[in-house]
Amino acid sequence: MANAKTLEELSRADYWDERYRGDDSKDATFEWFKSFSNLESLFRNAFPSLRARSLVSSILDAATAYKLPIDLHDQGYTNQVCVDFSSVVIEDMAARFKDKGGISWKVEDVRQMSSIPDNDVDVAVDKGTLDAMLWGSLWDPPDEVKDNTRRYIDEPHFIKPFLIREALWDLQVLELKEEAGVFEYFAFVIVKKKAT
């Protein structure tokens, strides 16, 4: 995935359709970045409502070709909406995990989630979706990258400038140190400000 053309393709639904079409192996739910066991303490510390499952109205998982929604379900979080712009991914995940009640699978573009009402979720999780929208020069990104990230971020190190919306939310950047290997991993915890 090092070449520029492939990086650009990551931002397109047809790339993901092709990647997951006909893939019935266990690798179809490849774990992007970190696993749930690596992130569980982050979730519990960053999201107070996740400490008490009864307080969680809904979890939105933005782009969902991995196991996180299933791991959350197995921990008792059974009110989840999982979206992806790849119909192949959604159909596969819905069929594969049809026994997991309380997870809704929807074909939806995170840049314009028309079927998700405003203020309808308590916690939104992005585990690599924004990364897949970034290609070209990160110091002078193409207009398409700026438009895609703006539309996505306004809908709910170099990424931080894309995330700052001081009037809308507070942003906290946490370094995930365990099992970092050669890469540094960061969590961006965004808490929406209450209307005054």
Side-chain angles (χ1 to χ4, degrees):
M1 282 197 274
N3 76 51
K5 182 64 175 163
T6 303
L7 290 175
E8 184 177 345
E9 290 171 340
L10 294 176
S11 67
R12 315 253 191 271
D14 57 351
Y15 171 86
W16 297 103
D17 286 346
E18 188 60 35
R19 180 177 178 134
Y20 286 93
R21 185 170 281 116
D23 186 353
D24 61 355
S25 71
K26 64 180 177 154
D27 295 331
T29 53
F30 176 79
E31 197 60 68
W32 298 96
F33 304 114
K34 292 188 163 277
S35 69
F36 177 73
S37 63
N38 297 126
L39 298 172
E40 186 172 10
S41 64
L42 167 71
F43 287 136
R44 296 209 185 283
N45 292 327
F47 303 116
S49 61
L50 283 179
R51 292 186 200 130
R53 291 178 188 91
S54 62
L55 298 178
V56 177
S57 297
S58 183
I59 297 173
L60 172 73
D61 193 300
T64 190
Y66 50 76
K67 286 187 61 225
L68 183 61
I70 307 312
D71 292 329
L72 285 170
H73 183 278
D74 291 346
Q75 294 294 314
Y77 303 105
T78 57
N79 190 356
Q80 298 183 59
V81 177
C82 299
V83 301
D84 200 291
F85 65 177
S86 168
S87 60
V88 174
V89 167
I90 291 298
E91 289 166 13
D92 178 68
M93 296 295 282
R96 185 185 304 268
F97 300 110
K98 63 181 175 242
D99 63 323
K100 303 289 184 184
I103 300 179
S104 171
W105 303 94
K106 295 184 175 191
V107 177
E108 190 75 65
D109 188 327
V110 297
R111 295 166 293 190
Q112 185 178 352
M113 293 187 285
S114 56
S115 72
I116 311 289
D118 289 347
N119 302 313
D120 201 45
V121 297
D122 293 315
V123 175
V125 178
D126 171 338
K127 193 167 168 253
T129 304
L130 182 59
D131 297 83
M133 291 182 191
L134 303 175
W135 51 272
S137 168
L138 296 177
W139 305 114
D140 186 20
D143 288 340
E144 181 180 343
V145 171
K146 291 180 203 174
D147 182 56
N148 283 340
T149 56
R150 191 175 298 116
R151 287 172 49 210
Y152 173 43
I153 292 166
D154 286 345
E155 184 70 31
H157 62 261
F158 55 78
I159 292 178
K160 188 174 179 180
F162 288 112
L163 297 176
I164 295 173
R165 298 285 193 274
E166 291 175 358
L168 299 176
W169 54 60
D170 294 317
L171 171 67
Q172 180 183 13
V173 180
L174 305 174
E175 184 177 356
L176 305 176
K177 295 184 181 202
E178 62 280 342
E179 298 180 26
V182 295
F183 295 106
E184 292 178 303
Y185 288 95
F186 297 90
F188 297 88
V189 179
I190 299 171
V191 179
K192 188 175 180 179
K193 291 184 177 180
K194 294 187 189 304
T196 56

